[in-house]
Amino acid sequence: MRSILLLLSLFITTFLNAQDIPIIPKPVSVTVNKGLFTITPSTQIKLEGSGLEHTADFFNSYLKKFYGFTLAVTSESPKKNVIILNYERMDYPIAGAYRMEVTGKSVYIAGDNAEAVFYGIQSLIQLLPVQVSQSLAVQQLKIEDHPRFQYRGLHLDAGRHFFDIDFVKQYIDFIALHKMNYFHWHLTEDQGWRIEIKKYPLLTQVGSCRERTVIGHNTQNYDSTRYCGYYTQEQIKEVVKYAADRYITIIPEIELPGHSSAALTAYPYLGCTGGPYQVAEKWGVFKDIFCAGNDSTFQFLQDVLDEVIALFPSKYIHIGGDESPKDRWKQCPKCQQRIKDNHLKDEHELQSYFIQRIEKYLNSKGRAIIGWDEILEGGLAPNATVMSWRGEQGGIDAAKQNHDVIMTPGQYVYFDHAQKKNDDSLTIGGFLPLDKVYNYEPIPAALNTDQGKHVLGAQANVWTEYMANVPKVEYMIFPRLTALSEVLWSSKENRNWNDFVKRLQTQYKRYDLWKVNYFKEPLQ
Ligand SMILES: [Zn+2]
């Protein structure tokens, strides 16, 4: 029996080639060798440098969660049955280059920094069998790998629906398992303010609750459930550390001047009319926004941002800037006075004034702003990075003005769009099938080589009007997130749809191992 198994395994390994190694995103190069290395509970991990503990911990927590065992981290130097993590200089301009060699005696992973070694471990995880076992055979091979883009992001809207920190941590793990490195956490909305701000307690006492929620696509019907939720500062610190241990930067988003109904409801003096306001109960764009003529608005926002930057070490703070109707500013004497005093042309320039004033404040604290592409209106703030969401044009315009850009165009990376035509599950609409995500090219053709360098990467956005619970979020992100990870990591030449679909078959089984919900349709 044993010899038959041996023969069988030889047969399988002989016929495996690089195309059959199911790693997503596709590494730069894979050389398959004969034979296997088997990870069992007696395999040890050896760290050849400081700062690699988080990576060993992540691997052990993954093994524990899905296979039911962990490995000892040793200070000895075992000759065999060992996973070695090390540093090696890779001379590649974007952080994250690693190499890996699996032989009969060891798995060796080396990266040019701790983050890179962490990516090597993600590749090792993808080499593990997807069946639960305490004997995990890994193909002997050599991998050389590095990322294409420095910004590989996923967003979550916690405003429309609230997701507790247990899920947020799981979401961060999903990002990590795809070798992505930014989590954009959308924390304030018309329908709920989700971050505790100690100086303004009503933001959460009042602003984190809506009395009811519209049913379906803004019908006239509402449920009768009060809907609340927010993150305490202690919880946020915990999540920020959790992400940092996975080499993921969290970019918090505090929306201004629009999408601010919840804040106005808590502190009506922040609006042009003085209210009363209401935490929104339906979806859409609302006319009541922060008053740009009132200095106390800026004092409020600076105080809020002070607490935000104390919680989030990210260089970037996202300040929204999108979907901000000018109706109230047109009628408001204070806003009109501001336009006059600053010799502004119109309300669009007033929006630019608003954003630039906030940018100046954040720059003075050593931080930089990201805004949605509406911040191009009336003149871009001098140091702003633009997230291009209304298609690619905002990104093109900003890059041509020598501003950095993160591409998030709706037609390619809005994971709230339907995954199939005539989708019977409730979504915001649109149609974004898997192959469209996979074939997305983040650097727009309209940019020349130098302008293209301003494209830091791309990000998928997950707006949650129609994602009220965790299984729905999972259904909307999988497998599109997996496709996006390859767009952002793998070289353009290395991307091939048919090859991806082949590797995706193993990934589906891995989703099953993770017990996550996902969308699946026959693909070719
Ligand atoms: Zn006003």
Short mmCIF file of all heavy atoms in Angstrom, two decimals, residues 208-259:
data_model
loop_
_atom_site.label_atom_id
_atom_site.label_comp_id
_atom_site.label_asym_id
_atom_site.label_seq_id
_atom_site.Cartn_x
_atom_site.Cartn_y
_atom_site.Cartn_z
N SER A 208 -24.86 57.75 16.02
CA SER A 208 -24.59 56.36 15.60
C SER A 208 -25.88 55.55 15.46
O SER A 208 -25.80 54.35 15.18
CB SER A 208 -23.65 55.68 16.60
OG SER A 208 -24.35 55.37 17.79
N CYS A 209 -27.03 56.20 15.66
CA CYS A 209 -28.31 55.47 15.58
C CYS A 209 -29.25 56.10 14.56
O CYS A 209 -29.39 57.33 14.51
CB CYS A 209 -29.02 55.50 16.93
SG CYS A 209 -28.21 54.49 18.17
N ARG A 210 -29.87 55.29 13.74
CA ARG A 210 -31.00 55.76 12.94
C ARG A 210 -32.25 55.03 13.42
O ARG A 210 -32.17 53.90 13.91
CB ARG A 210 -30.76 55.56 11.44
CG ARG A 210 -30.46 54.14 11.01
CD ARG A 210 -30.26 54.05 9.48
NE ARG A 210 -30.02 52.70 9.02
CZ ARG A 210 -28.81 52.18 8.74
NH1 ARG A 210 -27.72 52.92 8.89
NH2 ARG A 210 -28.69 50.93 8.33
N GLU A 211 -33.38 55.71 13.30
CA GLU A 211 -34.61 55.17 13.90
C GLU A 211 -35.14 53.97 13.11
O GLU A 211 -35.81 53.11 13.65
CB GLU A 211 -35.68 56.26 13.99
CG GLU A 211 -35.37 57.31 15.04
CD GLU A 211 -35.04 56.71 16.41
OE1 GLU A 211 -35.75 55.79 16.86
OE2 GLU A 211 -34.03 57.14 17.02
N ARG A 212 -34.86 53.95 11.83
CA ARG A 212 -35.38 52.88 10.98
C ARG A 212 -34.59 52.90 9.68
O ARG A 212 -33.81 53.83 9.45
CB ARG A 212 -36.88 53.08 10.70
CG ARG A 212 -37.14 54.43 10.07
CD ARG A 212 -38.62 54.71 9.84
NE ARG A 212 -38.73 55.93 9.04
CZ ARG A 212 -39.81 56.28 8.36
NH1 ARG A 212 -40.91 55.53 8.39
NH2 ARG A 212 -39.81 57.39 7.65
N THR A 213 -34.81 51.89 8.84
CA THR A 213 -34.05 51.79 7.60
C THR A 213 -34.99 51.47 6.45
O THR A 213 -35.90 50.63 6.59
CB THR A 213 -32.98 50.67 7.71
OG1 THR A 213 -32.14 50.94 8.84
CG2 THR A 213 -32.12 50.60 6.45
N VAL A 214 -34.78 52.15 5.35
CA VAL A 214 -35.62 51.93 4.17
C VAL A 214 -35.45 50.48 3.69
O VAL A 214 -34.38 49.88 3.82
CB VAL A 214 -35.25 52.94 3.04
CG1 VAL A 214 -33.87 52.64 2.45
CG2 VAL A 214 -36.32 52.99 1.97
N ILE A 215 -36.53 49.95 3.12
CA ILE A 215 -36.48 48.59 2.58
C ILE A 215 -36.27 48.67 1.07
O ILE A 215 -36.94 49.45 0.39
CB ILE A 215 -37.80 47.84 2.91
CG1 ILE A 215 -37.88 47.62 4.44
CG2 ILE A 215 -37.88 46.50 2.17
CD1 ILE A 215 -39.21 47.11 4.93
N GLY A 216 -35.33 47.89 0.56
CA GLY A 216 -35.09 47.84 -0.88
C GLY A 216 -34.47 49.12 -1.41
O GLY A 216 -33.80 49.86 -0.69
N HIS A 217 -34.74 49.38 -2.71
CA HIS A 217 -34.14 50.54 -3.38
C HIS A 217 -34.92 51.82 -3.09
O HIS A 217 -35.65 52.32 -3.94
CB HIS A 217 -34.08 50.31 -4.89
CG HIS A 217 -33.05 49.31 -5.30
ND1 HIS A 217 -33.36 48.12 -5.90
CD2 HIS A 217 -31.70 49.31 -5.15
CE1 HIS A 217 -32.25 47.43 -6.12
NE2 HIS A 217 -31.24 48.13 -5.69
N ASN A 218 -34.75 52.35 -1.90
CA ASN A 218 -35.47 53.57 -1.51
C ASN A 218 -36.95 53.52 -1.86
O ASN A 218 -37.49 54.43 -2.51
CB ASN A 218 -34.79 54.81 -2.12
CG ASN A 218 -33.59 55.25 -1.29
OD1 ASN A 218 -33.34 54.72 -0.21
ND2 ASN A 218 -32.85 56.22 -1.79
N THR A 219 -37.61 52.45 -1.42
CA THR A 219 -39.06 52.36 -1.54
C THR A 219 -39.67 53.31 -0.51
O THR A 219 -38.96 53.99 0.22
CB THR A 219 -39.53 50.94 -1.22
OG1 THR A 219 -39.15 50.64 0.14
CG2 THR A 219 -38.90 49.91 -2.15
N GLN A 220 -40.97 53.35 -0.44
CA GLN A 220 -41.63 54.15 0.60
C GLN A 220 -41.74 53.36 1.91
O GLN A 220 -42.28 53.85 2.90
CB GLN A 220 -43.03 54.57 0.15
CG GLN A 220 -43.03 55.42 -1.11
CD GLN A 220 -42.17 56.66 -0.98
OE1 GLN A 220 -42.31 57.42 -0.02
NE2 GLN A 220 -41.26 56.87 -1.93
N ASN A 221 -41.24 52.14 1.89
CA ASN A 221 -41.41 51.26 3.06
C ASN A 221 -40.14 51.21 3.92
O ASN A 221 -39.04 51.16 3.39
CB ASN A 221 -41.75 49.84 2.61
CG ASN A 221 -43.00 49.82 1.75
OD1 ASN A 221 -43.96 50.52 2.07
ND2 ASN A 221 -42.96 49.07 0.67
N TYR A 222 -40.36 51.21 5.22
CA TYR A 222 -39.25 51.18 6.18
C TYR A 222 -39.46 50.02 7.15
O TYR A 222 -40.60 49.64 7.43
CB TYR A 222 -39.19 52.49 6.97
CG TYR A 222 -38.77 53.68 6.13
CD1 TYR A 222 -39.68 54.31 5.28
CD2 TYR A 222 -37.46 54.14 6.17
CE1 TYR A 222 -39.28 55.39 4.48
CE2 TYR A 222 -37.05 55.22 5.37
CZ TYR A 222 -37.98 55.84 4.54
OH TYR A 222 -37.57 56.89 3.77
N ASP A 223 -38.33 49.51 7.67
CA ASP A 223 -38.49 48.54 8.76
C ASP A 223 -38.81 49.33 10.04
O ASP A 223 -38.89 50.56 10.00
CB ASP A 223 -37.24 47.66 8.90
CG ASP A 223 -36.00 48.44 9.32
OD1 ASP A 223 -36.14 49.57 9.84
OD2 ASP A 223 -34.88 47.92 9.13
N SER A 224 -38.96 48.64 11.15
CA SER A 224 -39.27 49.37 12.39
C SER A 224 -38.18 49.12 13.43
O SER A 224 -38.43 49.08 14.62
CB SER A 224 -40.64 48.92 12.92
OG SER A 224 -40.65 47.51 13.00
N THR A 225 -36.93 48.98 12.92
CA THR A 225 -35.83 48.63 13.81
C THR A 225 -34.86 49.80 13.94
O THR A 225 -34.34 50.31 12.95
CB THR A 225 -35.05 47.43 13.23
OG1 THR A 225 -35.98 46.41 12.90
CG2 THR A 225 -34.04 46.89 14.23
N ARG A 226 -34.65 50.23 15.20
CA ARG A 226 -33.62 51.23 15.46
C ARG A 226 -32.27 50.56 15.19
O ARG A 226 -32.02 49.45 15.66
CB ARG A 226 -33.75 51.67 16.91
CG ARG A 226 -32.86 52.80 17.33
CD ARG A 226 -33.29 53.23 18.75
NE ARG A 226 -32.19 53.80 19.51
CZ ARG A 226 -31.84 55.08 19.46
NH1 ARG A 226 -32.49 55.92 18.70
NH2 ARG A 226 -30.83 55.52 20.20
N TYR A 227 -31.41 51.21 14.42
CA TYR A 227 -30.16 50.59 13.99
C TYR A 227 -28.99 51.43 14.50
O TYR A 227 -28.89 52.62 14.20
CB TYR A 227 -30.11 50.52 12.46
CG TYR A 227 -28.94 49.72 11.93
CD1 TYR A 227 -29.07 48.36 11.65
CD2 TYR A 227 -27.70 50.32 11.73
CE1 TYR A 227 -27.99 47.62 11.18
CE2 TYR A 227 -26.61 49.59 11.27
CZ TYR A 227 -26.76 48.24 10.99
OH TYR A 227 -25.71 47.50 10.53
N CYS A 228 -28.12 50.81 15.31
CA CYS A 228 -27.02 51.54 15.96
C CYS A 228 -25.71 50.78 15.83
O CYS A 228 -25.70 49.58 15.59
CB CYS A 228 -27.30 51.69 17.46
SG CYS A 228 -28.82 52.56 17.84
N GLY A 229 -24.63 51.49 16.07
CA GLY A 229 -23.34 50.82 16.14
C GLY A 229 -22.20 51.80 16.00
O GLY A 229 -22.28 52.73 15.19
N TYR A 230 -21.18 51.64 16.83
CA TYR A 230 -19.96 52.44 16.65
C TYR A 230 -18.78 51.71 17.28
O TYR A 230 -18.96 50.77 18.05
CB TYR A 230 -20.13 53.84 17.25
CG TYR A 230 -20.18 53.92 18.75
CD1 TYR A 230 -19.03 54.10 19.50
CD2 TYR A 230 -21.40 53.84 19.42
CE1 TYR A 230 -19.08 54.17 20.88
CE2 TYR A 230 -21.47 53.91 20.81
CZ TYR A 230 -20.30 54.07 21.54
OH TYR A 230 -20.34 54.14 22.90
N TYR A 231 -17.57 52.16 16.90
CA TYR A 231 -16.35 51.59 17.46
C TYR A 231 -15.84 52.50 18.56
O TYR A 231 -15.73 53.72 18.35
CB TYR A 231 -15.27 51.47 16.38
CG TYR A 231 -15.74 50.72 15.15
CD1 TYR A 231 -16.06 51.40 13.97
CD2 TYR A 231 -15.88 49.33 15.16
CE1 TYR A 231 -16.49 50.72 12.84
CE2 TYR A 231 -16.32 48.64 14.04
CZ TYR A 231 -16.63 49.34 12.89
OH TYR A 231 -17.06 48.66 11.77
N THR A 232 -15.51 51.93 19.71
CA THR A 232 -14.87 52.74 20.76
C THR A 232 -13.41 52.96 20.36
O THR A 232 -12.87 52.24 19.52
CB THR A 232 -14.87 52.01 22.13
OG1 THR A 232 -14.05 50.84 22.02
CG2 THR A 232 -16.29 51.61 22.52
N GLN A 233 -12.78 53.96 20.98
CA GLN A 233 -11.38 54.22 20.65
C GLN A 233 -10.51 53.03 21.05
O GLN A 233 -9.51 52.73 20.37
CB GLN A 233 -10.91 55.53 21.30
CG GLN A 233 -11.64 56.72 20.71
CD GLN A 233 -10.92 58.04 20.90
OE1 GLN A 233 -9.91 58.12 21.60
NE2 GLN A 233 -11.43 59.08 20.27
N GLU A 234 -10.87 52.35 22.13
CA GLU A 234 -10.09 51.16 22.54
C GLU A 234 -10.18 50.08 21.47
O GLU A 234 -9.20 49.42 21.15
CB GLU A 234 -10.60 50.62 23.89
CG GLU A 234 -10.14 51.45 25.08
CD GLU A 234 -8.64 51.74 25.06
OE1 GLU A 234 -7.84 50.78 24.98
OE2 GLU A 234 -8.25 52.93 25.11
N GLN A 235 -11.38 49.89 20.93
CA GLN A 235 -11.54 48.89 19.86
C GLN A 235 -10.72 49.26 18.63
O GLN A 235 -10.09 48.41 17.99
CB GLN A 235 -13.02 48.75 19.47
CG GLN A 235 -13.85 48.04 20.53
CD GLN A 235 -15.32 47.98 20.13
OE1 GLN A 235 -15.87 48.96 19.61
NE2 GLN A 235 -15.96 46.85 20.39
N ILE A 236 -10.74 50.55 18.31
CA ILE A 236 -9.99 51.00 17.13
C ILE A 236 -8.50 50.76 17.31
O ILE A 236 -7.83 50.27 16.40
CB ILE A 236 -10.33 52.48 16.81
CG1 ILE A 236 -11.74 52.53 16.22
CG2 ILE A 236 -9.30 53.09 15.86
CD1 ILE A 236 -12.29 53.90 16.00
N LYS A 237 -7.99 51.05 18.51
CA LYS A 237 -6.56 50.79 18.77
C LYS A 237 -6.25 49.31 18.55
O LYS A 237 -5.21 48.95 18.00
CB LYS A 237 -6.21 51.17 20.21
CG LYS A 237 -6.08 52.67 20.43
CD LYS A 237 -5.75 52.96 21.89
CE LYS A 237 -6.08 54.39 22.24
NZ LYS A 237 -6.17 54.61 23.69
N GLU A 238 -7.16 48.47 19.03
CA GLU A 238 -6.96 47.01 18.88
C GLU A 238 -6.91 46.62 17.39
O GLU A 238 -6.06 45.83 16.97
CB GLU A 238 -8.14 46.33 19.59
CG GLU A 238 -7.99 44.85 19.80
CD GLU A 238 -9.24 44.27 20.48
OE1 GLU A 238 -9.85 44.95 21.36
OE2 GLU A 238 -9.62 43.14 20.11
N VAL A 239 -7.82 47.19 16.61
CA VAL A 239 -7.87 46.85 15.19
C VAL A 239 -6.65 47.40 14.45
O VAL A 239 -6.07 46.72 13.59
CB VAL A 239 -9.19 47.38 14.55
CG1 VAL A 239 -9.16 47.21 13.04
CG2 VAL A 239 -10.38 46.66 15.15
N VAL A 240 -6.21 48.60 14.81
CA VAL A 240 -5.04 49.20 14.16
C VAL A 240 -3.80 48.32 14.41
O VAL A 240 -3.01 48.06 13.50
CB VAL A 240 -4.80 50.64 14.66
CG1 VAL A 240 -3.42 51.16 14.25
CG2 VAL A 240 -5.89 51.58 14.13
N LYS A 241 -3.67 47.82 15.65
CA LYS A 241 -2.54 46.95 15.95
C LYS A 241 -2.66 45.62 15.19
O LYS A 241 -1.66 45.11 14.65
CB LYS A 241 -2.45 46.69 17.46
CG LYS A 241 -1.26 45.83 17.78
CD LYS A 241 -1.07 45.51 19.23
CE LYS A 241 0.21 44.73 19.50
NZ LYS A 241 0.53 43.66 18.55
N TYR A 242 -3.86 45.10 15.16
CA TYR A 242 -4.10 43.83 14.45
C TYR A 242 -3.68 43.97 12.99
O TYR A 242 -3.04 43.09 12.42
CB TYR A 242 -5.59 43.50 14.56
CG TYR A 242 -5.97 42.12 14.06
CD1 TYR A 242 -5.95 41.02 14.93
CD2 TYR A 242 -6.38 41.92 12.75
CE1 TYR A 242 -6.32 39.76 14.48
CE2 TYR A 242 -6.75 40.66 12.29
CZ TYR A 242 -6.72 39.58 13.18
OH TYR A 242 -7.08 38.34 12.73
N ALA A 243 -4.04 45.09 12.39
CA ALA A 243 -3.69 45.32 10.99
C ALA A 243 -2.17 45.50 10.84
O ALA A 243 -1.56 44.94 9.93
CB ALA A 243 -4.43 46.55 10.46
N ALA A 244 -1.58 46.27 11.74
CA ALA A 244 -0.13 46.52 11.64
C ALA A 244 0.66 45.22 11.75
O ALA A 244 1.66 45.03 11.05
CB ALA A 244 0.31 47.50 12.73
N ASP A 245 0.19 44.30 12.58
CA ASP A 245 0.86 42.99 12.71
C ASP A 245 0.77 42.20 11.40
O ASP A 245 1.47 41.21 11.22
CB ASP A 245 0.22 42.17 13.83
CG ASP A 245 0.58 42.70 15.21
OD1 ASP A 245 1.47 43.56 15.30
OD2 ASP A 245 -0.06 42.25 16.20
N ARG A 246 -0.12 42.61 10.53
CA ARG A 246 -0.27 41.98 9.20
C ARG A 246 0.24 42.89 8.07
O ARG A 246 -0.11 42.70 6.91
CB ARG A 246 -1.75 41.61 8.99
CG ARG A 246 -2.15 40.42 9.84
CD ARG A 246 -3.61 40.41 10.24
NE ARG A 246 -3.88 39.25 11.09
CZ ARG A 246 -3.52 39.14 12.38
NH1 ARG A 246 -2.88 40.15 12.99
NH2 ARG A 246 -3.79 38.05 13.07
N TYR A 247 0.98 43.91 8.45
CA TYR A 247 1.59 44.84 7.47
C TYR A 247 0.53 45.54 6.63
O TYR A 247 0.72 45.79 5.44
CB TYR A 247 2.65 44.11 6.62
CG TYR A 247 3.65 43.47 7.55
CD1 TYR A 247 3.55 42.13 7.93
CD2 TYR A 247 4.64 44.25 8.14
CE1 TYR A 247 4.41 41.58 8.87
CE2 TYR A 247 5.51 43.71 9.07
CZ TYR A 247 5.39 42.37 9.43
OH TYR A 247 6.24 41.84 10.37
N ILE A 248 -0.59 45.83 7.27
CA ILE A 248 -1.68 46.53 6.61
C ILE A 248 -1.87 47.88 7.28
O ILE A 248 -1.94 47.98 8.50
CB ILE A 248 -2.98 45.69 6.66
CG1 ILE A 248 -2.82 44.47 5.75
CG2 ILE A 248 -4.21 46.53 6.28
CD1 ILE A 248 -3.88 43.44 5.93
N THR A 249 -1.91 48.91 6.46
CA THR A 249 -2.17 50.26 6.95
C THR A 249 -3.66 50.54 6.85
O THR A 249 -4.27 50.28 5.81
CB THR A 249 -1.42 51.29 6.07
OG1 THR A 249 -0.02 50.99 6.14
CG2 THR A 249 -1.67 52.72 6.55
N ILE A 250 -4.23 51.05 7.93
CA ILE A 250 -5.64 51.44 7.88
C ILE A 250 -5.73 52.93 7.59
O ILE A 250 -5.14 53.75 8.30
CB ILE A 250 -6.37 51.13 9.20
CG1 ILE A 250 -6.25 49.63 9.54
CG2 ILE A 250 -7.84 51.56 9.09
CD1 ILE A 250 -7.01 49.23 10.79
N ILE A 251 -6.47 53.25 6.53
CA ILE A 251 -6.73 54.66 6.22
C ILE A 251 -8.15 54.96 6.68
O ILE A 251 -9.12 54.42 6.13
CB ILE A 251 -6.61 54.92 4.71
CG1 ILE A 251 -5.17 54.63 4.26
CG2 ILE A 251 -7.02 56.36 4.37
CD1 ILE A 251 -4.94 54.84 2.78
N PRO A 252 -8.29 55.81 7.72
CA PRO A 252 -9.64 56.14 8.17
C PRO A 252 -10.25 57.19 7.25
O PRO A 252 -9.53 58.04 6.73
CB PRO A 252 -9.40 56.72 9.56
CG PRO A 252 -8.05 57.36 9.46
CD PRO A 252 -7.25 56.52 8.49
N GLU A 253 -11.55 57.13 7.06
CA GLU A 253 -12.21 58.18 6.29
C GLU A 253 -13.23 58.90 7.16
O GLU A 253 -14.13 58.28 7.74
CB GLU A 253 -12.93 57.63 5.05
CG GLU A 253 -13.58 58.76 4.23
CD GLU A 253 -14.28 58.30 2.96
OE1 GLU A 253 -14.23 57.09 2.65
OE2 GLU A 253 -14.90 59.15 2.30
N ILE A 254 -13.05 60.21 7.25
CA ILE A 254 -14.01 61.11 7.90
C ILE A 254 -14.56 61.97 6.78
O ILE A 254 -13.86 62.80 6.21
CB ILE A 254 -13.31 61.99 8.97
CG1 ILE A 254 -12.55 61.12 10.00
CG2 ILE A 254 -14.31 62.93 9.63
CD1 ILE A 254 -13.41 60.19 10.82
N GLU A 255 -15.82 61.78 6.46
CA GLU A 255 -16.42 62.45 5.30
C GLU A 255 -16.69 63.92 5.56
O GLU A 255 -17.30 64.28 6.58
CB GLU A 255 -17.77 61.78 4.96
CG GLU A 255 -17.62 60.61 4.00
CD GLU A 255 -17.78 61.03 2.53
OE1 GLU A 255 -17.76 62.22 2.19
OE2 GLU A 255 -17.94 60.09 1.72
N LEU A 256 -16.27 64.78 4.64
CA LEU A 256 -16.61 66.18 4.67
C LEU A 256 -16.52 66.74 3.26
O LEU A 256 -15.84 66.16 2.42
CB LEU A 256 -15.66 66.92 5.63
CG LEU A 256 -14.13 66.79 5.35
CD1 LEU A 256 -13.62 67.88 4.44
CD2 LEU A 256 -13.39 66.75 6.66
N PRO A 257 -17.20 67.80 2.91
CA PRO A 257 -18.25 68.43 3.73
C PRO A 257 -19.60 67.72 3.61
O PRO A 257 -20.50 68.00 4.37
CB PRO A 257 -18.35 69.85 3.13
CG PRO A 257 -17.88 69.69 1.71
CD PRO A 257 -16.91 68.54 1.69
N GLY A 258 -19.71 66.75 2.69
CA GLY A 258 -21.00 66.07 2.50
C GLY A 258 -21.10 64.80 3.33
O GLY A 258 -20.25 64.53 4.17
N HIS A 259 -22.16 64.04 3.07
CA HIS A 259 -22.41 62.78 3.79
C HIS A 259 -22.26 62.97 5.30
O HIS A 259 -21.66 62.15 5.99
CB HIS A 259 -21.49 61.68 3.28
CG HIS A 259 -21.87 61.19 1.91
ND1 HIS A 259 -23.03 60.48 1.66
CD2 HIS A 259 -21.25 61.32 0.71
CE1 HIS A 259 -23.10 60.19 0.36
NE2 HIS A 259 -22.04 60.71 -0.24
#
